Amino acid sequence: EVQLVQSGGGLVQPGGSLRLSCAASGFTFSNYAMSWVRQAPGKGLEWVSVINSGGDKINYAGSVKGRFTISRDNAKNTLYLQMNSLKPEDTAVYYCAKYSLDSYYDDYPSLADFGSWGQGTQVTVSS
């Protein structure tokens, strides 16, 4: 059974930093591209960042480029999102997501590409 268990998140002041983690199990983590997706209050899902299976291809949504860093540790089966210079508009529930197909990667993934999701973690940026 595929499991994606998230940790991290919380309340932070504008300009602060947080790191999210997503521990994967039940599949060969190193074979799959992974992504972070968020949902702000009252809004739809928004793709944030994507990383390929080997970690050498990465892309970001324009709204987070230069502030967020996605990474992965295939030895630990874990995906990360380092978020710096946080803004109130980054407030959202953040989800890690696994591609449905192994060895597939797209610089601009569609939400339909993802077959499994983490439980979500709240990030609130407020003074």
Side-chain angles (χ1 to χ4, degrees):
E1 177 190 5
V2 172
Q3 286 198 316
L4 300 172
V5 179
Q6 298 179 222
S7 59
L11 173 64
V12 65
Q13 293 186 341
S17 297
L18 284 173
R19 188 174 87 154
L20 306 182
S21 299
C22 173
S25 62
F27 64 102
T28 305
F29 181 71
S30 59
N31 285 356
Y32 289 84
M34 299 289 295
S35 190
W36 289 97
V37 178
R38 69 185 180 185
Q39 186 168 28
K43 297 189 177 180
L45 291 168
E46 176 192 21
W47 166 74
V48 173
S49 183
V50 62
I51 185 168
N52 74 335
S53 57
D56 58 325
K57 293 182 181 180
I58 287 172
N59 201 25
Y60 299 95
S63 57
V64 306
K65 192 171 292 186
R67 301 187 297 120
F68 289 13
T69 302
I70 191 172
S71 63
R72 64 190 297 158
D73 186 336
N74 285 346
K76 295 183 178 180
N77 292 345
T78 303
L79 175 73
Y80 303 100
L81 184 68
Q82 178 67 42
M83 305 182 291
N84 298 330
S85 302
L86 282 160
K87 305 175 181 181
E89 51 263 43
D90 295 317
T91 295
V93 177
Y94 285 72
Y95 299 91
C96 60
K98 166 190 167 292
Y99 268 79
S100 295
L101 299 177
D102 65 0
S103 304
Y104 181 78
Y105 172 81
D106 191 329
D107 273 340
Y108 296 96
S110 165
L111 295 178
D113 291 337
F114 305 127
S116 300
W117 297 76
Q119 81 276 18
T121 186
Q122 178 70 47
V123 171
T124 302
V125 185
S126 174
S127 54

